[in-house]
Amino acid sequence: MDSLKALEEYLKSKDNAENFFSSSEIPPICKSEACMLGVDEAGRGPVLGPMVYGVAYCPLSQKKILESLGCADSKALTEDKRDEIFTKMLIEQESIDNVGWKGEVISPKYISNSMYRRAKHSLNEVSMNSAISLIQMVLDGGVNLAEIYVDTVGPPEKYQAKLSEIFPNIKITVAKKADSIYPIVSAASIVAKVTRDHALKVWNFKEGLDMDHSQFGSGYPGDPLTKKFIREQIDHVFGYPLLVRFSWSTAELMLQEKAATCTFEDIDESPNKKAAGTKSISTFFSPKDKTSRKRHKFFQERCLKMTNAFE
C-alpha cells in the first residue's frame, strides 16, 4: 500500500458489513530491536459508519522519526494534515524502514449486533477485544514489543491491569488522552482516523442508495447532514441501511417513530419447564410397580441400607 488511493481501493474491495484488517509490512528492524506500540481508535461515538482500531509500532531508538512525521495530538490535526502524515508513513523510506501499523475496521452491523445479543457485548468490550487482538497479531508477526501505550477505554487502572495480565512480559501504560502525550499513540490514532475517513468516502451501499459521503456527513449525531440522513433514509419495513448503527439511541428513537412495529414471539422455554402432561424421560426407566420390596435378611441383620456414594 503506497498511497491513499491504494488504501481507498483496498477498502472498496472489502465487504463493509464485516470486520476486516489493513496493515503495513513489518519493518525487519522491528523484529530485532526492542519496540514500542501505541493503540487508539476512531469513530467510537458516531451513529454512522465503522469504528476503527489502529496500532503503530517502531523501535524505541527511533522516537525521533515520529516527531519528524509530525505525530501529535491527532484531534488537534486537520483531516488534510492527518492524510499528509499517513501518506508519509506509506511512502517515505525512513518511515517504511522503521514504523509499522495495523488497523481493524469494525462494521456498524457488528457493533449493533454485539450490543443487542442476549449476552450483551458492550462497546467497551468490543474495543478492548480489538485492541488485544491487534497487539497479539503484531506479536505473532515477530515484532519485539517491549512497551505498549494505550488510550484508555473506561477506567485506565482496570484496563492496564487486564492488559498486564494478558501480556505480562511487556511494560503497559494506559492513560486518558494518551494520543496527546505519547507520539506512538498519536501515530496509531492517525492510522485509525484516516482509515475511517476514507472508509466513509468509499462506502458502498448494498441497499442501492445512490449517494456519497458528502450527503451523510461525519456520522456524528450532532452533524446536520447526519441528522438529515437518519430522518430521511429509513425504510418502513427494513429500517436503515448497513451504514447505520441501529443500536444507537438516535436510530432507535427514529425507528420507533417511523418504522413498522414488530412483535417477536418468545419461543424459548426454560429447560426445566415441561408442558402439561409431558413425562420426564426418566419415568420410562422407573419400575411400574411402586410397592416397596422387603429388604433381605442379610441387610437387616447388619443394619445396612442403600445410599448414594456421591452424596
Side-chain angles (χ1 to χ4, degrees), residues 47-48 209-235 240-241 243-244 250 254 258:
V47 65
L48 303 183
L209 288 178
D210 184 18
M211 61 169 55
D212 62 28
H213 70 286
S214 64
Q215 295 172 276
F216 56 75
S218 65
Y220 284 88
D223 186 322
L225 286 174
T226 300
K227 287 181 178 179
K228 184 173 184 290
F229 181 91
I230 290 294
R231 282 196 309 270
E232 297 179 356
Q233 300 301 326
I234 183 168
D235 185 272
Y240 285 115
L243 177 69
V244 180
T250 310
M254 196 60 66
K258 293 192 171 185

Side-chain angles (χ1 to χ4, degrees), residues 143-304:
V143 176
N144 180 17
L145 289 184
E147 299 177 7
I148 295 174
Y149 299 88
V150 185
D151 195 40
T152 192
V153 171
E157 299 81 11
K158 289 184 178 180
Y159 195 3
Q160 183 166 315
K162 180 174 182 175
L163 290 176
S164 296
E165 185 178 349
I166 297 170
F167 306 108
N169 299 320
I170 302 173
K171 177 187 173 185
I172 309 284
T173 302
V174 179
K176 295 178 180 179
K177 302 185 184 301
D179 62 333
S180 63
I181 303 171
Y182 306 104
I184 194 65
V185 179
S186 177
S189 181
I190 288 166
V191 169
K193 283 181 168 57
V194 171
T195 302
R196 175 180 152 82
D197 288 345
H198 288 269
L200 288 176
K201 286 180 180 179
V202 299
W203 187 272
N204 175 37
F205 285 96
K206 294 184 175 183
E207 301 80 8
L209 288 178
D210 184 18
M211 61 169 55
D212 62 28
H213 70 286
S214 64
Q215 295 172 276
F216 56 75
S218 65
Y220 284 88
D223 186 322
L225 286 174
T226 300
K227 287 181 178 179
K228 184 173 184 290
F229 181 91
I230 290 294
R231 282 196 309 270
E232 297 179 356
Q233 300 301 326
I234 183 168
D235 185 272
H236 183 66
V237 175
F238 299 106
Y240 285 115
L242 290 170
L243 177 69
V244 180
R245 302 180 191 178
F246 50 84
S247 58
W248 257 232
S249 60
T250 310
E252 282 184 332
L253 294 172
M254 196 60 66
L255 286 168
Q256 290 171 13
E257 179 185 334
K258 293 192 171 185
T261 301
C262 296
T263 302
F264 296 94
E265 183 181 356
D266 186 4
I267 61 173
D268 291 334
E269 295 180 354
S270 169
N272 298 320
K273 184 179 178 181
K274 301 184 183 69
T278 302
K279 292 183 179 180
S280 166
I281 193 170
S282 62
T283 61
F284 293 95
F285 301 95
S286 301
K288 294 182 179 178
D289 184 4
K290 297 292 184 180
T291 56
S292 59
R293 293 184 298 174
K294 186 177 179 180
R295 298 174 67 229
H296 193 279
K297 184 179 178 181
F298 176 86
F299 296 102
Q300 290 179 341
E301 290 175 347
R302 292 163 178 77
C303 300
L304 298 176

Side-chain angles (χ1 to χ4, degrees), residues 3-191:
S3 66
L4 292 178
K5 184 66 176 174
L7 173 64
E8 288 188 351
E9 289 300 319
Y10 176 78
L11 294 170
K12 282 170 67 175
S13 72
K14 295 297 181 179
D15 182 352
N16 55 29
E18 305 298 332
N19 298 356
F20 60 89
F21 296 92
S22 61
S23 66
S24 68
E25 296 292 329
I26 297 175
I29 192 174
C30 292
K31 296 183 178 183
S32 57
E33 289 196 20
C35 292
M36 57 182 168
L37 176 143
V39 184
D40 202 2
E41 53 77 26
R44 183 177 170 81
V47 65
L48 303 183
M51 176 170 70
V52 179
Y53 252 80
V55 298
Y57 52 91
C58 76
L60 292 168
S61 62
Q62 301 297 325
K63 292 180 181 179
K64 65 181 187 300
I65 293 176
L66 300 173
E67 296 170 5
S68 66
L69 282 170
C71 294
D73 184 357
S74 63
K75 295 181 180 66
L77 301 174
T78 64
E79 182 179 338
D80 287 343
K81 187 63 178 177
R82 291 195 298 267
D83 281 354
E84 179 187 325
I85 294 171
F86 189 68
T87 300
K88 288 181 180 179
M89 292 172 69
L90 295 176
I91 65 172
E92 290 189 357
Q93 197 60 47
E94 186 180 41
S95 180
I96 293 171
D97 290 343
N98 292 280
V99 182
W101 58 269
K102 193 174 188 72
E104 181 180 17
V105 180
I106 306 170
S107 73
K109 172 187 167 184
Y110 179 85
I111 293 170
S112 294
N113 286 346
S114 295
M115 296 176 74
Y116 274 149
R117 275 163 41 177
R118 177 162 299 196
K120 293 190 182 299
H121 200 50
S122 72
L123 191 62
N124 279 3
E125 290 174 297
V126 172
S127 299
M128 289 181 185
N129 288 345
S130 178
I132 291 165
S133 68
L134 285 168
I135 294 168
Q136 189 61 58
M137 286 178 181
V138 170
L139 286 169
D140 291 344
V143 176
N144 180 17
L145 289 184
E147 299 177 7
I148 295 174
Y149 299 88
V150 185
D151 195 40
T152 192
V153 171
E157 299 81 11
K158 289 184 178 180
Y159 195 3
Q160 183 166 315
K162 180 174 182 175
L163 290 176
S164 296
E165 185 178 349
I166 297 170
F167 306 108
N169 299 320
I170 302 173
K171 177 187 173 185
I172 309 284
T173 302
V174 179
K176 295 178 180 179
K177 302 185 184 301
D179 62 333
S180 63
I181 303 171
Y182 306 104
I184 194 65
V185 179
S186 177
S189 181
I190 288 166
V191 169

